[in-house]
Amino acid sequence: MQVKSVPTKPVEGQKPGTSGLRKKTRQFMQPGYLENFVQAIWNAIGGVSGKTLVLGGDGRFFNDRAAQIILRMAAASGAARVIVGQGALLSTPAASNLIRQRGADGGIILSASHNPGGADADFGVKYNTANGGPAPESVTAAIHEASERLDHYLTLEAPDIDLSRPRTTGLGAMAVEVVDPVTDYATLMEKLFDFNAIRALLQGGYQLRFDAMHAVTGPYAVEILERRLGAAPGSVINATPLPDFGQGHPDPNPVWAKPLYDAIFGPDAPDFAAASDGDGDRNMILGRGIYVGPSDSLAVLAANAHLCPGYAGGVRGVARSMPTSRAVDRVAAARGWSCFATPTGWKFFGNLLDAGMITLCGEESFGTGSDHVREKDGLWAVLMWLNILAATRQSVAGLLAAHWAEFGRSWYSRHDYEAVDAAAAEALIADLRAALPDLPGQQAGALTVSEAAEFAYTDPVDGSRAERQGLEIGFVGGARTVLRLSGTGTEGATLRVYLESHEASPTGTDTQAALAPVIAAVEALAGIRARTGRDAPDVIT
Ligand code: VG1
Ligand code: CO
């Protein structure tokens, strides 16, 4: 088989965002576009000669074609072995696990996560390093630089490889090992959680519903929840991964997983329900008559982690992304754990996890995880909830009520303004940034600003610095807001407004009502309506 060197020119804008490079699918399908980015990855990491890589994706449109392109490019550049999920499928956490289990040098995950899939929707490529985690900023910056200097890429003139069944075959001198995407991951889950206790809970008539949203977790959830844990057949809904996710938006939140959300408040509600996103790293947790906010979920998991075999030895520390609510901070304070606030994006947890400084971490964006892999992990969170529910024999609502009684309640919400005019959104942030030093002491609606700063982070392990990670404004009494622009969108800009307040003895149930003074204060300070022309957020979570 012939190695072919294809002359090429740099493609503008191949700059990885919060989670890899995410663009319109048609852009990725342009001749040379994916090839350029992949070659930039190879160049940035010192080549792939002799290396072992993991490859798989969430099954969205172009996943299969992209996998073949990447296999040929890995072979042409001298990779020794690529371990690829059957059908080119791997959930993000399963890919992270495979990289670690097999001691691979890194991996490529084909996914735009929770963004819709299809020829006219979104596609993405993420590069993970040998620890199994998303490439840190130093590596993504090197990839971007390499993409700007590219003049050729290498590929192999070879036909497609059959990825439809597990086996090892060759592509030129490179081994292609097709593996079942679920087995190793399911085995890891069995080590972490008390499957017997969960099985006993489910056998007692406990009703479970898991919405795979026609994305990658379908096969994982069927194997683990139905086959290994004995949940009733059909407990996993929308279980077949589809290239367009059944025309859905595979984002597990009350807006995009509305049927599931409505069901949990309906007459025939199951005891427990959950959903995951396109690539399987996000989760939404629901219990009969109640929605568990992701920040609360992290806090509850941390407070009860010791009930799960994998965490019986205790929690070393916790971390949350800065905009995530401080619910977990209160658990950490009570238990004497260290607690870190990092910039948005899972890559910032990697060093803390590798150094053994934290055991659990999470983000408000429906992401929770631990040191078992180096990605957030949707099904892991579901199993940890089930283990805790089985061990305590409490309802989800009961567990939350007990948690709030002990730690108080962090009212929390995120308001997203999507596909906003990019210049208007950037000007809003720039003007607010400029105003920050003068805000303390200022009145904003019924609240008074106590502090205001732009978040920057120094990694406690390697000293690397991340600037401009969100504008954080605190109010007298402890409420706060954070404003930042999304790094995962593919159209215009997405403005995210994070809102939080705390109540020691919570009353009421309406989050938006509880946060009304904070919402009004943000409007007074940032003028979102006038600047974006929007009356209300597009998505409230
Ligand atoms: C969003 C979330 C962030 C998450 C990222 C990737 O980023 O806010 O918390 O880490 O998506 O998640 P942004 O920059 O759009 O706010 V996923 O499930 O795409 O890997
Ligand atoms: Co995801």
Side-chain angles (χ1 to χ4, degrees):
M1 282 173 209
Q2 198 72 35
V3 173
K4 201 166 87 178
S5 173
V6 183
T8 188
K9 281 201 219 94
V11 182
E12 225 179 280
Q14 291 198 326
K15 189 176 195 311
T18 316
S19 186
L21 183 69
R22 210 169 283 190
K23 298 284 178 194
K24 289 288 164 207
T25 309
R26 288 201 194 277
Q27 198 166 338
F28 259 109
M29 291 169 69
Q30 283 167 17
Y33 188 93
L34 171 68
E35 289 87 342
N36 272 33
F37 188 64
V38 171
Q39 188 67 53
I41 296 174
W42 294 174
N43 294 355
I45 62 172
V48 291
S49 181
K51 290 184 178 174
T52 295
L53 299 172
V54 164
L55 172 66
D58 63 13
R60 69 181 58 224
F61 187 84
F62 191 52
N63 185 110
D64 48 356
R65 307 290 324 134
Q68 298 288 349
I69 290 171
I70 293 168
L71 284 172
R72 282 193 277 268
M73 289 186 67
S77 285
R81 175 177 293 261
V82 176
I83 303 163
V84 49
Q86 186 179 352
L89 291 181
L90 279 177
S91 77
T92 286
S96 180
N97 181 49
L98 261 186
I99 294 171
R100 296 166 66 76
Q101 296 272 316
R102 300 292 304 272
D105 297 284
I108 289 199
I109 303 170
L110 306 168
S111 174
S113 190
H114 53 286
N115 294 28
D120 294 308
D122 297 343
F123 194 77
V125 174
K126 307 190 270 191
Y127 176 70
N128 283 28
T129 48
N131 73 344
E137 296 231 301
S138 55
V139 176
T140 55
I143 294 171
H144 184 220
E145 265 170 47
S147 81
E148 290 183 319
R149 285 199 310 264
L150 215 61
D151 57 15
H152 72 281
Y153 65 83
L154 296 183
T155 185
L156 203 66
E157 289 191 314
D160 283 359
I161 291 261
D162 175 12
L163 301 176
S164 67
R165 63 196 163 89
R167 56 168 191 153
T168 298
T169 153
L171 182 57
M174 183 180 86
V176 178
E177 181 181 345
V178 184
V179 299
D180 179 273
V182 178
T183 310
D184 284 12
Y185 177 82
T187 305
L188 173 65
M189 293 301 117
E190 282 184 332
K191 282 194 208 132
L192 296 176
F193 301 115
D194 187 346
F195 271 41
N196 287 333
I198 301 174
R199 208 176 288 118
L201 177 77
L202 295 174
Q203 269 162 8
Y206 194 85
Q207 284 166 4
L208 160 86
R209 193 172 301 164
F210 180 86
D211 189 346
M213 303 190 84
H214 288 303
V216 79
T217 46
Y220 294 85
V222 169
E223 172 64 24
I224 295 171
L225 298 174
E226 295 188 7
R227 294 211 191 96
R228 298 200 186 189
L229 288 169
S235 298
V236 180
I237 59 170
N238 302 319
T240 309
L242 298 173
D244 65 349
F245 306 120
Q247 307 246 297
H249 198 135
D251 196 357
N253 66 35
V255 177
W256 297 117
K258 194 166 188 307
L260 188 76
Y261 184 82
D262 288 346
I264 208 76
F265 293 100
D268 300 315
D271 295 288
F272 177 89
S276 190
D277 72 331
D279 62 330
D281 57 0
R282 295 186 174 205
N283 72 91
M284 176 172 70
I285 301 293
L286 303 163
R288 182 176 293 142
I290 196 155
Y291 157 75
V292 185
S295 300
D296 276 341
S297 177
L298 173 63
V300 171
L301 292 182
N304 296 285
H306 58 279
L307 299 173
C308 306
Y311 307 90
V315 170
R316 275 189 294 271
V318 290
R320 60 167 169 87
S321 69
M322 182 274 283
T324 301
S325 101
R326 292 159 170 162
V328 75
D329 301 35
R330 293 172 204 281
V331 178
R335 303 282 161 86
W337 304 329
S338 43
C339 178
F340 300 87
T342 58
T344 295
W346 209 260
K347 58 187 162 206
F348 293 103
F349 295 131
N351 279 343
L352 296 170
L353 290 164
D354 285 350
M357 294 163 77
I358 59 169
T359 305
L360 298 180
C361 48
E363 296 190 277
E364 51 65 42
S365 53
F366 299 82
T368 346
S370 88
D371 56 4
H372 69 293
V373 289
R374 293 294 179 272
E375 290 276 4
K376 56 187 182 272
D377 189 344
L379 263 169
W380 167 89
V382 171
L383 293 168
M384 191 151 181
W385 265 94
L386 287 171
N387 193 149
I388 292 167
L389 292 164
T392 59
R393 292 282 165 160
Q394 289 213 52
S395 66
V396 175
L399 210 57
L400 267 182
H403 188 90
W404 292 330
E406 184 175 356
F407 299 101
R409 181 163 184 179
S410 293
W411 295 102
Y412 188 81
S413 182
R414 186 176 102 183
H415 290 189
D416 291 332
Y417 298 82
E418 294 181 338
V420 171
D421 176 69
E426 274 155 29
L428 185 154
I429 293 289
D431 290 349
L432 193 57
R433 174 181 292 128
L436 288 178
D438 301 324
L439 291 186
Q442 246 189 55
Q443 197 71 22
L447 301 179
T448 307
V449 176
S450 57
E451 57 209 316
E454 183 154 35
F455 183 64
Y457 179 69
T458 305
D459 187 295
V461 178
D462 67 12
S464 59
R465 184 96 177 140
E467 306 280 352
R468 298 204 159 184
Q469 298 296 324
L471 310 180
E472 188 181 19
I473 300 170
F475 301 100
V476 174
R480 68 167 183 147
T481 184
V482 175
L483 289 90
R484 61 178 283 278
L485 298 181
S486 156
T488 59
T490 58
E491 259 168 68
T494 293
L495 172 67
R496 304 207 193 284
V497 182
Y498 309 82
L499 307 146
E500 178 179 5
S501 67
H502 185 258
E503 208 177 345
S505 310
T507 50
T509 52
D510 186 341
T511 301
Q512 298 305 314
L515 290 169
V518 193
I519 296 168
V522 177
E523 184 55 31
L525 293 171
I528 296 170
R529 284 190 193 181
R531 282 170 169 273
T532 64
R534 304 287 174 85
D535 279 343
D538 298 281
V539 178
I540 295 180
T541 51

